[in-house]
Amino acid sequence: MAFKSISAAEAASLVKHGYNIGLSGFTPAGTAKAVTSEIAKIAEAEHAKGNPFQIGIFTGASTGDSCDGILSRVKAIRYRAPYTTNPDFRKAVNNGEIAYNDIHLSQMAQEVRYGFMGKVNVAIIEACEVTPDGKIYLTAAGGIAPTVCRLADQIIVELNSAHSKNMMGMHDVYEPLDPPYRREIPIYKPSDRIGLPYIQVDPKKIVGIVETNWPDEARSFAAADPITDKIGQNVADFLAADMKRGIIPSTFLPLQSGVGNIANAVLGALGRDQTIPAFEMYTEVIQNSVIGLIREGRVKFGSACSLTVTNDCLQGIYDDMDFFRDKLILRPSEISNSPEVVRRLGIISINTAIEADIYGNVNSTHIGGTKMMNGIGGSGDFTRNAYISIFTCPSVAKEGKISSIVPMVSHLDHSEHSVNIVITEQGVADLRGKSPKERAQAIIENCAHPDYKQILWDYLKLAGNKSQTPHAIQAALGMHAELAKSGDMKNVNWAEYER
Amino acid sequence: MAFKSISAAEAASLVKHGYNIGLSGFTPAGTAKAVTSEIAKIAEAEHAKGNPFQIGIFTGASTGDSCDGILSRVKAIRYRAPYTTNPDFRKAVNNGEIAYNDIHLSQMAQEVRYGFMGKVNVAIIEACEVTPDGKIYLTAAGGIAPTVCRLADQIIVELNSAHSKNMMGMHDVYEPLDPPYRREIPIYKPSDRIGLPYIQVDPKKIVGIVETNWPDEARSFAAADPITDKIGQNVADFLAADMKRGIIPSTFLPLQSGVGNIANAVLGALGRDQTIPAFEMYTEVIQNSVIGLIREGRVKFGSACSLTVTNDCLQGIYDDMDFFRDKLILRPSEISNSPEVVRRLGIISINTAIEADIYGNVNSTHIGGTKMMNGIGGSGDFTRNAYISIFTCPSVAKEGKISSIVPMVSHLDHSEHSVNIVITEQGVADLRGKSPKERAQAIIENCAHPDYKQILWDYLKLAGNKSQTPHAIQAALGMHAELAKSGDMKNVNWAEYER
């Protein structure tokens, strides 16, 4: 069938107050952009008339300003899951205006299918091509697009000419059956293809095609600096040493790496370390640095959910597709982050902590235990099932007024049971096989900033030795309370907590 | 080859100071008992001579007094992983005498194989039969026996005639390859057999057979009471309702249930609810109550790691093996608790919390955030990958002086990202698809004891509304601090924390 060409405004008018929309895209590559911007206008108009207009948003991970930003500003979001990076959305969440459900990315699609979050009314999918028989070819990300296409009553396709049709063929679309009918996810190495290069939908559900030319909204990250370079070098040295002593196989293992400037620094250092063989990535997000390493032959293959690269870098891939076609694959987040596949492949996972405590618990979502930063993303999917799970962070923040190493994390996303290694610019704490007390020694000694070492040793003294996990419970969050009070964790006075 | 029959004392003399021993058994079914008791005597003698004598213990889960108890009392344990229930061991750990590494049970075998915990010197394996070509038939548990048999330099077999040879054939021994060679674990329904009924070892590694007649040391649990009965009923009613509205398929899904009297009450209630069809278990531990439900036809099949039943009940199974042979299977803990299989099968997991907080974070290991109770066991393996993850607990403990619902858990084992449902005798909080603030409303309203509801609402008021996860960080552990001070959480005075 031939699809109707409609305007973004016409498409947006299909979305009613109370609807849940399902979006393509991931961090924020490949997100639909034009229709959400028009939904914002409808919301504004309805609100001006005194009518309620709020929707739920289900997507792969962060969208750009054209969705989370603009819709937050006009107060059009009632509910949203999962990960997000938009500052206006963040502000609205922390103001209590939006019900934000922060969920492991591998679970998003299945929890929508299981019915835990309500109905998907309309799917809005960015495509580089769509065929009359209902084959939708995605752009720069997998996300939860296959699931929302299947569940939604209506599908709107944003056919975006800012993405090259060269993207056709790069996707591996696979949606598992739900229990009790689910089978194995048959990926045994990062390059295994298990699905189709397109999403097959019932063409009757496609209510219209919105033609756009709207570049992706991926950010570029801060350049490396001496601190991130040192962290990167510590990671590379640690992995090289583990390979040397036979803990990591000599062929190395597939790598997952988080998003941001620390991740870039880590990949840079791994790329430079010639004792580490060329390796594969089985990861969530491919950033510019990975594309560079593929061009240099240091990364042999990249499996991910999204190409979260600058638009220049993306254009470079489209232009060189003959080179990249057998070196890159994009999958739905349910597959890129699958605990089953992560544990099977033996991924080395490297993610960023906001803070870690002396026992190896990690906070990766909440500032001061209360304010949402971005969400957990896929860090839990990888950490929990990794062969070796590593968390990195600078040892201090805010000109040294905040220590990233604290007695007890103010919010906990990754527990002591899941975290193997903590790395700062100060050094490496190897927590594997250690009891909590042994972990505390390693973390304070190797990872804490010199300004905070004695403060942390003094906390341990206050906590005593008479337990598995020593804490002076009334003082455990004392450094956070001090930060709230005086603006500097260094001012904490443990004597106040003695009884 | 014919194996040498040796005494337990001779076998124990092979274990030297500094060795790590690997044991069969799980919670504490099927644990070797005779040799460890003799190791304790050696330790005592060496200590009397002023010599050091301490070992590391790697096992499936808790052992009985003959291992953890007796070896703790003579201070012969340097290091131990994972789960344990022995009171003397617990005391020693909380006194700081033992390095205890509390680890997810599905990860124990692989972390030993990966080399994270050091070498396995001697494996001590309880068997009901061993053949000259090195086939070891296990008794009442799978545990990590296949892994420690393969890795150890020497194997001691405790041939225990207290277990019937009828156990032969009940085990499904399967050890996955390590990355990068690992394949799928090909279990698609609880009854799928994927391995061998015995552990095949190099017979040359078997240094001797210790013949014993030593019954298992499984405890029986407290009888159901009105509180546990109400919790059980709440679980059954919740699951029946979820099935009715189509969230759970009409064929139901396989169940995992933790250990203890609440688990027994839950299973009792599920057994009685005839709107729930006869179901299968894919679980860690089979207790007496499951055997009863199999006899009644309410449980169709049980896959587990151990038969942690009373000795009478175990004898009943051995006597009725023609009935039970196609209704029970025992697997290594790496398989019974496999995240891959748990997520694939869509397990409904039901575990017990020590405390839960208003946002759905769960503490299942530490009393007051510091003292180890038993360890995390397999609760994390199941919770994190469940179709629906449920935590149960009575709403109060210690004659009401402790609320199980608190503002912030004092130790966190299962995060908000993994916990779907909290159930107390007061009611059910369904957290699926909810933001933290919506979860807090549901948990306080439905699960907290009436004596603590207003206290928790008042905490929320103190915490304000200006964040994703409201906390008054200086007061977040205030109920725990109050318990330590006055012995009653009800005395907490939030006014003290206002600024």
mmCIF file of all heavy atoms in Angstrom, chain A residues 268-285:
data_model
loop_
_atom_site.group_PDB
_atom_site.id
_atom_site.type_symbol
_atom_site.label_atom_id
_atom_site.label_comp_id
_atom_site.label_asym_id
_atom_site.label_seq_id
_atom_site.Cartn_x
_atom_site.Cartn_y
_atom_site.Cartn_z
ATOM 1 N N GLY A 268 40.501 5.521 24.686
ATOM 2 C CA GLY A 268 41.756 6.036 24.143
ATOM 3 C C GLY A 268 42.955 5.276 24.697
ATOM 4 O O GLY A 268 43.842 4.844 23.950
ATOM 5 N N ALA A 269 42.964 5.084 26.008
ATOM 6 C CA ALA A 269 44.090 4.392 26.645
ATOM 7 C C ALA A 269 44.154 2.934 26.214
ATOM 8 O O ALA A 269 45.240 2.387 25.967
ATOM 9 C CB ALA A 269 43.953 4.496 28.169
ATOM 10 N N LEU A 270 43.000 2.292 26.102
ATOM 11 C CA LEU A 270 42.983 0.890 25.655
ATOM 12 C C LEU A 270 43.480 0.791 24.214
ATOM 13 O O LEU A 270 44.173 -0.167 23.846
ATOM 14 C CB LEU A 270 41.574 0.310 25.761
ATOM 15 C CG LEU A 270 41.083 0.032 27.183
ATOM 16 C CD1 LEU A 270 39.604 -0.314 27.180
ATOM 17 C CD2 LEU A 270 41.893 -1.103 27.809
ATOM 18 N N GLY A 271 43.096 1.768 23.412
ATOM 19 C CA GLY A 271 43.540 1.775 22.025
ATOM 20 C C GLY A 271 45.056 1.891 21.914
ATOM 21 O O GLY A 271 45.681 1.255 21.069
ATOM 22 N N ARG A 272 45.642 2.681 22.820
ATOM 23 C CA ARG A 272 47.087 2.906 22.756
ATOM 24 C C ARG A 272 47.889 1.735 23.312
ATOM 25 O O ARG A 272 49.053 1.565 22.968
ATOM 26 C CB ARG A 272 47.446 4.172 23.548
ATOM 27 C CG ARG A 272 47.060 5.484 22.865
ATOM 28 C CD ARG A 272 47.659 6.688 23.586
ATOM 29 N NE ARG A 272 47.227 6.792 24.983
ATOM 30 C CZ ARG A 272 46.101 7.425 25.381
ATOM 31 N NH1 ARG A 272 45.304 7.995 24.495
ATOM 32 N NH2 ARG A 272 45.794 7.488 26.652
ATOM 33 N N ASP A 273 47.289 0.945 24.208
ATOM 34 C CA ASP A 273 48.044 -0.116 24.879
ATOM 35 C C ASP A 273 48.205 -1.330 23.954
ATOM 36 O O ASP A 273 47.283 -2.134 23.788
ATOM 37 C CB ASP A 273 47.329 -0.528 26.168
ATOM 38 C CG ASP A 273 48.164 -1.495 26.996
ATOM 39 O OD1 ASP A 273 48.970 -2.253 26.411
ATOM 40 O OD2 ASP A 273 48.029 -1.488 28.226
ATOM 41 N N GLN A 274 49.375 -1.463 23.363
ATOM 42 C CA GLN A 274 49.545 -2.507 22.350
ATOM 43 C C GLN A 274 49.718 -3.895 22.969
ATOM 44 O O GLN A 274 49.782 -4.896 22.241
ATOM 45 C CB GLN A 274 50.719 -2.172 21.417
ATOM 46 C CG GLN A 274 50.501 -0.891 20.590
ATOM 47 C CD GLN A 274 49.378 -1.012 19.543
ATOM 48 O OE1 GLN A 274 49.128 -2.098 19.020
ATOM 49 N NE2 GLN A 274 48.683 0.100 19.266
ATOM 50 N N THR A 275 49.804 -3.996 24.297
ATOM 51 C CA THR A 275 49.815 -5.342 24.894
ATOM 52 C C THR A 275 48.406 -5.929 24.911
ATOM 53 O O THR A 275 48.233 -7.122 25.115
ATOM 54 C CB THR A 275 50.369 -5.321 26.341
ATOM 55 O OG1 THR A 275 49.447 -4.615 27.180
ATOM 56 C CG2 THR A 275 51.726 -4.654 26.386
ATOM 57 N N ILE A 276 47.404 -5.078 24.715
ATOM 58 C CA ILE A 276 46.022 -5.560 24.600
ATOM 59 C C ILE A 276 45.721 -5.752 23.117
ATOM 60 O O ILE A 276 45.870 -4.819 22.328
ATOM 61 C CB ILE A 276 45.037 -4.563 25.247
ATOM 62 C CG1 ILE A 276 45.304 -4.489 26.762
ATOM 63 C CG2 ILE A 276 43.590 -4.946 24.950
ATOM 64 C CD1 ILE A 276 44.521 -3.420 27.484
ATOM 65 N N PRO A 277 45.322 -6.964 22.722
ATOM 66 C CA PRO A 277 45.077 -7.193 21.292
ATOM 67 C C PRO A 277 43.868 -6.388 20.804
ATOM 68 O O PRO A 277 43.065 -5.921 21.611
ATOM 69 C CB PRO A 277 44.801 -8.695 21.218
ATOM 70 C CG PRO A 277 44.343 -9.079 22.575
ATOM 71 C CD PRO A 277 45.024 -8.153 23.540
ATOM 72 N N ALA A 278 43.762 -6.241 19.495
ATOM 73 C CA ALA A 278 42.557 -5.621 18.931
ATOM 74 C C ALA A 278 41.354 -6.367 19.492
ATOM 75 O O ALA A 278 41.356 -7.600 19.595
ATOM 76 C CB ALA A 278 42.589 -5.693 17.410
ATOM 77 N N PHE A 279 40.335 -5.641 19.895
ATOM 78 C CA PHE A 279 39.229 -6.264 20.625
ATOM 79 C C PHE A 279 37.879 -5.935 20.002
ATOM 80 O O PHE A 279 37.787 -5.127 19.075
ATOM 81 C CB PHE A 279 39.271 -5.859 22.104
ATOM 82 C CG PHE A 279 39.259 -4.369 22.346
ATOM 83 C CD1 PHE A 279 38.070 -3.680 22.517
ATOM 84 C CD2 PHE A 279 40.458 -3.650 22.410
ATOM 85 C CE1 PHE A 279 38.055 -2.310 22.747
ATOM 86 C CE2 PHE A 279 40.452 -2.268 22.647
ATOM 87 C CZ PHE A 279 39.255 -1.603 22.810
ATOM 88 N N GLU A 280 36.834 -6.607 20.516
ATOM 89 C CA GLU A 280 35.469 -6.367 20.052
ATOM 90 C C GLU A 280 34.693 -5.611 21.137
ATOM 91 O O GLU A 280 35.013 -5.702 22.315
ATOM 92 C CB GLU A 280 34.778 -7.690 19.749
ATOM 93 C CG GLU A 280 35.459 -8.450 18.604
ATOM 94 C CD GLU A 280 34.792 -9.777 18.310
ATOM 95 O OE1 GLU A 280 34.512 -10.539 19.254
ATOM 96 O OE2 GLU A 280 34.548 -10.059 17.124
ATOM 97 N N MET A 281 33.678 -4.886 20.712
ATOM 98 C CA MET A 281 32.783 -4.219 21.649
ATOM 99 C C MET A 281 31.418 -4.917 21.571
ATOM 100 O O MET A 281 30.908 -5.184 20.483
ATOM 101 C CB MET A 281 32.586 -2.743 21.288
ATOM 102 C CG MET A 281 33.834 -1.916 21.121
ATOM 103 S SD MET A 281 34.524 -1.260 22.660
ATOM 104 C CE MET A 281 33.228 -0.175 23.257
ATOM 105 N N TYR A 282 30.856 -5.218 22.737
ATOM 106 C CA TYR A 282 29.428 -5.576 22.806
ATOM 107 C C TYR A 282 28.880 -4.600 23.823
ATOM 108 O O TYR A 282 29.033 -4.786 25.029
ATOM 109 C CB TYR A 282 29.209 -7.023 23.237
ATOM 110 C CG TYR A 282 27.758 -7.446 23.067
ATOM 111 C CD1 TYR A 282 27.303 -7.922 21.847
ATOM 112 C CD2 TYR A 282 26.859 -7.344 24.117
ATOM 113 C CE1 TYR A 282 25.973 -8.291 21.673
ATOM 114 C CE2 TYR A 282 25.522 -7.709 23.951
ATOM 115 C CZ TYR A 282 25.097 -8.182 22.734
ATOM 116 O OH TYR A 282 23.773 -8.551 22.560
ATOM 117 N N THR A 283 28.315 -3.535 23.339
ATOM 118 C CA THR A 283 28.062 -2.392 24.201
ATOM 119 C C THR A 283 26.713 -1.777 23.880
ATOM 120 O O THR A 283 25.966 -2.277 23.013
ATOM 121 C CB THR A 283 29.231 -1.386 24.046
ATOM 122 O OG1 THR A 283 29.171 -0.408 25.057
ATOM 123 C CG2 THR A 283 29.219 -0.715 22.675
ATOM 124 N N GLU A 284 26.414 -0.716 24.583
ATOM 125 C CA GLU A 284 25.111 -0.084 24.460
ATOM 126 C C GLU A 284 25.175 1.075 23.470
ATOM 127 O O GLU A 284 24.319 1.223 22.607
ATOM 128 C CB GLU A 284 24.761 0.428 25.862
ATOM 129 C CG GLU A 284 23.494 1.161 26.005
ATOM 130 C CD GLU A 284 23.327 1.607 27.458
ATOM 131 O OE1 GLU A 284 23.070 0.723 28.286
ATOM 132 O OE2 GLU A 284 23.445 2.798 27.751
ATOM 133 N N VAL A 285 26.233 1.876 23.606
ATOM 134 C CA VAL A 285 26.368 3.098 22.827
ATOM 135 C C VAL A 285 27.754 3.132 22.199
ATOM 136 O O VAL A 285 28.745 2.920 22.882
ATOM 137 C CB VAL A 285 26.197 4.320 23.752
ATOM 138 C CG1 VAL A 285 26.684 5.591 23.072
ATOM 139 C CG2 VAL A 285 24.741 4.483 24.166
#
